[in-house]
Amino acid sequence: MSLTTQIKEFALDIGYSKVGIIPAESFPEYIADLTNRQEMYSFYIKGAYRPLLGAEPRSLMPKAKSIITTVYDYSQKNFPKELTEKVGRVYQARCYNAPPERINGARPQLMKNFLRQLGCEVGEKISLPERLVAAKAGIVNYGRNNFAYAEGIGSFIYLTSFVVDKELDYDSPSFVVGCPEGCSACMKACPTQAIYEPLKLNPRRCIAFNTFITQDRMAGSYIEPEIRDKMGTKIHGCDICQEVCPRNQARLKEKLLEDEFLVKVAQDFSLAKILNMTDNLYLSRIQPLMYNYIKEKKYFQRNAAIALGNLGDPAFIPDLSVAMHDPEELVRGYAAWALGKIGGQLAKGILTEGNRRETSEFAKREIRDALLRIE
Ligand code: SF4
Ligand code: SF4
């Protein structure tokens, strides 16, 4: 059996749905696209992933010869509705940053071990443009919503690549947009118009990005009020442009098995609980589920405050009142925004009281803006 066949069969055996292979050449089109839009993507270009270097794999691994790319289908079980209205499916599926002792971290580790057993050197910490790699290998094609779609699955997939120092047999590309002609359902459904033209996303407007790039270490923690208004109840990710997509309807309508783990998790995912969560809830339930994509508790609390404001239900005023005493100014400021959005005399009284004792400039500004919206 050839090296290529052994690798592909192993990948399929450990649960990947598709596997393809391309030469480890540079991706000049990706470099040009990121560079042209560096204002939008500066947080990513300058961040720890170093995508411009990853787009030239041999700059990080001079012996690189091939890239093996895989599709993992993370939508094989049902996602509970109580979670889906708040958390994107890929995060519920625990695909990003999974540690090796969990299944989605163990799978790539098994793959690397196998490649090494076959005598391959395997690159580490090379952030590849995964969608482009997979399209070049013919295992996905693009949707106008910027997601990659795998035949027979849809866009609820997670792509992982491995760079190796061996020459292998290469696959043919599938550089097509596989969408029905004239469809723009994703662009119309996006609440923030983040998809500003087919295949072009402004991450600064995307709800998903706003839930997690707005961390101080990445792009500052501030979320524009105009975006907050449109975040609905999303606290980690957003699947709207995938949910409306005709290419995902077969999977979304399929009768799938319940995911018993997520059903249990969903019980702890009430917005009010997250707004004022204890360290114990955060460490035992929220943070392990998300594997640190959002690094600190306060960002989840901020997002929960926004979601409660968007629900507009006065029943949550007592929870927001508690959050106005949170040790984090970020949480107090966004709780104030939410109270302003819910409005009414009770909310106004809590904001006025908060304004008297508040010492943070940021939170004070949010309180004043909230009061202005009520008056
Ligand atoms: S993830 Fe949500 S906000 Fe982002 S482009 Fe899609 S629909 Fe718009
Ligand atoms: S909604 Fe329509 S245009 Fe958008 S990705 Fe799906 S098929 Fe393509």
Side-chain angles (χ1 to χ4, degrees):
M1 201 187 283
S2 73
L3 200 53
T4 300
T5 306
Q6 288 183 68
I7 291 169
K8 285 190 168 177
E9 287 197 359
F10 185 80
L12 296 172
D13 181 34
I14 61 172
Y16 292 114
S17 296
K18 295 182 192 287
V19 54
I21 306 179
I22 58 170
E25 286 161 3
S26 300
F27 300 91
E29 61 279 64
Y30 179 76
I31 294 170
D33 188 42
L34 260 194
T35 312
N36 288 340
R37 298 194 291 155
Q38 54 184 303
E39 215 171 285
M40 288 179 200
Y41 281 93
S42 56
F43 70 91
Y44 184 51
I45 293 171
K46 292 179 188 155
Y49 289 108
R50 305 182 298 166
L52 292 178
L53 286 179
E56 293 185 315
R58 287 183 189 135
S59 71
L60 296 171
M61 181 182 171
K63 285 200 267 175
K65 292 261 170 41
S66 304
I67 302 173
I68 301 150
T69 168
T70 59
V71 164
Y72 173 66
D73 171 4
Y74 64 74
S75 61
Q76 298 174 63
K77 284 191 185 172
N78 190 45
F79 293 94
K81 184 174 170 297
E82 307 78 50
L83 277 182
T84 305
E85 58 202 16
K86 304 175 195 115
V87 180
R89 288 167 178 77
V90 70
Y91 308 104
Q92 292 182 51
R94 285 114 43 227
C95 286
Y96 283 105
N97 297 342
E101 64 272 18
R102 298 295 179 95
I103 187 65
N104 290 325
R107 194 178 299 101
Q109 202 51 54
L110 284 173
M111 191 73 190
K112 285 181 193 170
N113 294 348
F114 183 73
L115 291 166
R116 287 180 180 128
Q117 276 166 28
L118 292 176
C120 299
E121 189 179 311
V122 185
E124 292 286 356
K125 298 200 167 112
I126 305 177
S127 289
L128 293 155
E130 296 286 359
R131 290 172 204 179
L132 182 55
V133 171
K136 283 198 166 183
I139 58 172
V140 302
N141 62 52
Y142 291 114
R144 293 189 187 105
N145 58 3
N146 300 285
F147 284 91
Y149 285 73
E151 197 64 42
I153 303 173
S155 65
F156 298 120
I157 54 174
Y158 188 77
L159 307 174
T160 310
S161 294
F162 306 87
V163 184
V164 295
D165 65 342
K166 295 277 180 290
E167 254 176 49
L168 300 166
D169 301 332
Y170 300 124
D171 292 295
S172 309
S174 51
F175 280 129
V176 287
V177 173
C179 301
E181 215 181 307
C183 182
S184 57
C186 50
M187 297 176 72
K188 287 184 191 135
C190 174
T192 56
Q193 290 82 48
I195 311 167
Y196 58 92
E197 60 182 69
L199 301 168
K200 290 274 187 282
L201 175 86
N202 179 351
R204 308 271 168 183
R205 294 196 62 78
C206 175
I207 292 169
F209 280 79
N210 271 281
T211 59
F212 51 70
I213 60 164
T214 46
Q215 301 183 56
D216 293 302
R217 74 196 164 89
M218 295 172 91
S221 63
Y222 188 70
I223 301 178
E224 295 290 341
E226 180 226 348
I227 301 289
R228 298 179 207 173
D229 273 332
K230 294 171 180 163
M231 288 170 73
T233 54
K234 308 291 183 205
I235 60 165
H236 197 323
C238 163
D239 285 347
I240 293 171
C241 56
Q242 297 180 84
E243 285 166 348
V244 298
C245 176
R247 303 177 69 188
N248 280 330
Q249 294 315 304
R251 178 55 60 91
L252 286 170
K253 287 180 182 149
E254 216 173 299
K255 185 83 193 131
L256 300 170
L257 270 182
E258 286 304 326
D259 186 322
E260 295 299 335
F261 175 70
L262 290 178
V263 168
K264 280 191 193 301
V265 169
Q267 293 162 9
D268 290 327
F269 258 77
S270 95
L271 292 172
K273 239 186 203 178
I274 291 173
L275 173 68
N276 291 310
M277 68 181 146
T278 59
D279 288 346
N280 185 38
L281 175 64
Y282 175 65
L283 292 173
S284 63
R285 184 56 99 197
I286 311 295
Q287 195 239 31
L289 181 71
M290 305 304 172
Y291 298 136
N292 294 325
Y293 212 69
I294 292 180
K295 292 276 183 208
E296 290 175 58
K297 183 176 112 175
K298 64 182 179 181
Y299 302 117
F300 274 111
Q301 293 177 278
R302 172 200 60 192
N303 296 350
I306 294 172
L308 288 173
N310 284 333
L311 282 177
D313 185 344
F316 293 117
I317 290 178
D319 300 297
L320 290 162
S321 174
V322 172
M324 290 290 289
H325 294 268
D326 194 274
E328 292 288 348
E329 62 173 357
L330 187 77
V331 179
R332 300 197 299 276
Y334 283 80
W337 178 85
L339 284 166
K341 183 127 195 210
I342 295 171
Q345 288 312 301
L346 181 55
K348 187 176 175 181
I350 294 165
L351 286 164
T352 308
E353 179 58 33
N355 198 28
R356 272 193 215 112
R357 65 168 182 272
E358 187 58 66
T359 51
S360 143
E361 270 315 304
F362 162 73
K364 258 188 181 305
R365 208 165 44 244
E366 290 289 341
I367 291 172
R368 282 186 212 125
D369 289 351
L371 281 167
L372 282 176
R373 280 190 290 141
I374 294 179
E375 281 158 4

